[in-house]
Amino acid sequence: MTSAPPRQNRVAARLARAGLATDEVAADPAAALLGTKALRDATASWLTSLSSERRLSPKTVEAYGRDLRQFTAFLAGHLGEAVSPALVVGLKPLDIRAFLAARRAEGIESRSLMRQLAALRSFARHLEAEGHGAAAAFSAIRGPRLSKSLPKPLPAAAAIAMTDEATRAGEPREAWVLARDAAVLSLLYGCGLRISEALGIRRIDAPIGGQDGLRVIGKGGKTREVPVIAPVSRAIEDYLAVCPYLLAPDGPLFVGVKGGPLSPRIIQLAVAGLRGALGLPDSATPHALRHSFATHLLARGGELRSIQDLLGHASLSTTQIYTQVDASRLLAAYRSAHPRA
């Protein structure tokens, strides 16, 4: 009677049948989660196409890659074998629903699940384009229903106070740091920028000295022109006047305390402190200043199409949500003030 082969040999044989060599896994433990070499090659070409052909932002490409790794890791345990392109295209809708259910059980919200499903559908289309077959199961899955939450803008007085350097005058921070943070927040509220767009501005492009416009690089590398009002220019000039570093023309306009590029996390922490000082809710984030920019323009008679251009929205339907915000604010004012409400 022959004895069973050692477990180590059985694992090696199983990996070999799946297209994974043991030395590959030893060198890269993530290789087992990413499946066979054929799947890893398909993953690499897919991520490259997302960046070079579809021109998605680096953060989106990174998120899509993370989504696929989570999916293949789930499949390896769910189906008990290394994941290959043939396995992916042969999946049933039940397999994909099991993954989404597992993610939901981990506390993942509907919006993140929608992004994960979008990433998996994109990868399935890529596998089909490379000749691995049609992965019909992915198109058969209906995404989770999203809650229709409206943006939460700040009152105008609160938004202005957040951009005022004097609001943080009592903090034990260097004066140039307070001026820097005020300049960044002024760009978010005064120009409707995303925090990544503000921190991506080069020193040479700083809108100062009478320059009343700014070219911004937005999502997907798309550029747009935004007007710059005088208070925003003055905030940037005040920051540059006290910044202790000699900023390279092609380097970032905003730098950290050690002179390197400024992290978005620093601005988020500054806003958290301002929330406490001004008694604002948790919804008062850096992005809320961008929401406030759009909502306040609309309330003052701004045209929706113009606001779309200023925000850099690809679709007008994305901008139209601010009409609902404005309508809800008017309704709240009516209910609180009208004698017959």
Side-chain angles (χ1 to χ4, degrees), residues 125-140:
R125 290 192 298 269
H126 182 77
L127 290 179
E128 183 175 353
E130 287 197 335
H132 293 287
F138 291 89
S139 58

Side-chain angles (χ1 to χ4, degrees), residues 205-220:
D205 298 323
I208 58 176
Q211 181 179 331
D212 59 0
L214 176 66
R215 175 169 292 182
V216 177
I217 301 177
K219 285 187 174 181

